[in-house]
Amino acid sequence: AQKVTQAQTEISVVEKEDVTLDCVYETRDTTYYLFWYKQPPSGELVFLIRRNSFDEQNEISGRYSWNFQKSTSSFNFTITASQVVDSAVYFCALPRGWGSGGYNKLIFGAGTRLAVHP
Amino acid sequence: NAGVTQTPKFRILKIGQSMTLQCTQDMNHNYMYWYRQDPGMGLKLIYYSVGAGITDKGEVPNGYNVSRSTTEDFPLRLELAAPSQTSVYFCASSSILLAGGGNEQFFGPGTRLTVL
């Protein structure tokens, strides 16, 4: 079955620390995408990144980086030199996929609440 | 380009009342979705639509109804509100499906609903 697990419920760090948010997934599909979304205290969901299962290269965007490893079914998100503005809930998501309700429907993990203190 | 807009932002209902949450997108997206987010939880899909006139149930459809008469609008109707429907409701949209489900979903700002 399709499943997304974010085992870290809450993480608290001090500004400028590096922090990694874990995402482990289960899928029956051979081709799939994975997503990360950010939900700041204001409440809206903001798309951060989409990765295709064909591409296991790490992705870096400024202070954000993503490590995708099919061998361990993980898609982890690292924030380098964290800032107070990074405080938010972060969600990992996976399409339901073939035979599980369709590719247009996402399964979200429970989210990891990150608090960055000055 | 406003993206996905939702109204109202906040609402308090009494048990048994009904209401409609409005959602409009101006990106000409075929796919639209309604999610609910309970405190400390991820999002759960209520209903979705793949185009005007076509809707289907998600994971938690009981107590809700939807319609999609236009590409732009996807209202969510709550009939006979119950305390269990206290939640934050998000509408989202995405473009025509990429192979393997690679379409990002664009979310509205959410509606915070309390049923007392």
Side-chain angles (χ1 to χ4, degrees), chain B residues 45-105:
Chain B
L45 184 66
I46 306 171
Y47 269 96
Y48 70 99
S49 169
V50 300
I54 306 170
T55 64
D56 206 349
K57 297 176 181 178
E59 302 170 78
V60 290
N62 291 345
Y64 307 95
N65 274 302
V66 294
S67 59
R68 184 101 180 265
S69 56
T70 66
T71 298
E72 296 77 21
D73 300 307
F74 190 40
L76 177 71
R77 177 83 178 161
L78 277 73
E79 305 282 2
L80 299 175
S84 60
Q85 293 179 304
T86 294
S87 190
V88 180
Y89 292 83
F90 289 98
C91 180
S93 71
S94 64
S95 59
I96 290 177
L97 194 65
L98 294 175
N103 306 64
E104 66 182 276
Q105 294 186 12

Side-chain angles (χ1 to χ4, degrees), chain A residues 34-77:
Chain A
L34 291 159
F35 299 81
W36 276 95
Y37 284 85
K38 174 182 179 180
Q39 187 176 39
S42 53
E44 76 278 15
L45 278 104
V46 178
F47 166 78
L48 292 178
I49 191 171
R50 165 187 54 223
R51 292 309 300 276
N52 186 304
S53 58
F54 284 129
D55 184 1
E56 289 194 66
Q57 285 191 348
N58 288 345
E59 178 98 10
I60 298 174
S61 176
R63 297 183 295 107
Y64 295 172
S65 62
W66 289 268
N67 180 259
F68 177 30
Q69 293 193 337
K70 287 180 75 171
S71 60
T72 56
S73 296
S74 66
F75 185 39
N76 296 337
F77 173 31

Side-chain angles (χ1 to χ4, degrees), chain A residues 31-33 35 37 39 43-45 47 50 91 95-96 101 103-106 108-110, chain B residues 31 33 35 37 40-43 45 48 50 59 90 97 99-105 107:
Chain A
T31 302
Y32 51 91
Y33 284 82
F35 299 81
Y37 284 85
Q39 187 176 39
E44 76 278 15
L45 278 104
F47 166 78
R50 165 187 54 223
F91 292 98
R96 287 200 173 270
Y103 289 101
N104 59 309
K105 296 192 282 292
L106 292 177
F108 286 83
Chain B
Y31 293 87
Y33 314 83
Y35 293 92
Q37 183 182 27
M41 306 290 287
L43 281 75
L45 184 66
Y48 70 99
V50 300
E59 302 170 78
F90 289 98
L97 194 65
N103 306 64
E104 66 182 276
Q105 294 186 12
F107 285 82

